[in-house]
Amino acid sequence: SSSKLKKKATKTQEAKKILKKKFKVNTKIVFTEDGELVQQWPPVQKSSLANVDEEDEADGINLNKVKEILREEDKFDKEEYRKKIKEKHR
């Protein structure tokens, strides 16, 4: 009787299967007709510290480095937001 009953896969089990297959989920990339990148989600990190952090694979997460990276990324985000607001007001 146990062979007849199949257990339904839970969301976590399905997520683990996807991670094992190394699919890139929840990403969106938009190109123009010329093939130039218009928009990418999630946005790529622009700070130089983020690139250095990828190279230094340590045992765990270094919170101080992550805070610095987020501060730098925040500067870029604020600048983009200002540009967006200026375009809106024109």
Side-chain angles (χ1 to χ4, degrees):
S1 65
S2 63
S3 63
K4 291 182 181 178
L5 297 176
K6 273 192 172 179
K7 288 189 177 182
K8 185 177 178 184
T10 62
K11 289 182 181 180
T12 54
Q13 289 172 338
E14 291 174 2
K16 286 181 182 180
K17 284 181 185 178
I18 291 172
L19 287 174
K20 282 183 182 177
K21 293 180 182 180
K22 298 185 181 184
F23 285 131
K24 287 192 176 188
V25 294
N26 297 334
T27 58
K28 180 179 179 180
I29 300 174
V30 179
F31 294 98
T32 61
E33 291 180 6
D34 301 331
E36 295 178 19
L37 181 68
V38 175
Q39 182 181 14
Q40 182 174 1
W41 183 257
V44 178
Q45 291 184 338
K46 299 176 184 175
S47 68
S48 60
L49 290 176
N51 297 332
V52 173
D53 186 45
E54 289 176 359
E55 295 171 0
D56 293 335
E57 288 296 325
D59 294 334
I61 299 172
N62 189 346
L63 292 178
N64 294 329
K65 279 188 178 181
V66 172
K67 285 181 185 178
E68 282 297 318
I69 291 171
L70 289 176
R71 284 189 193 118
E72 272 196 39
E73 288 296 320
D74 198 32
K75 291 177 188 176
F76 290 112
D77 291 342
K78 285 180 183 179
E79 186 177 320
E80 286 182 26
Y81 181 72
R82 284 189 200 117
K83 288 180 185 176
K84 184 177 177 182
I85 294 299
K86 284 182 182 179
E87 288 296 320
K88 184 178 178 183
H89 288 287
R90 287 184 184 176

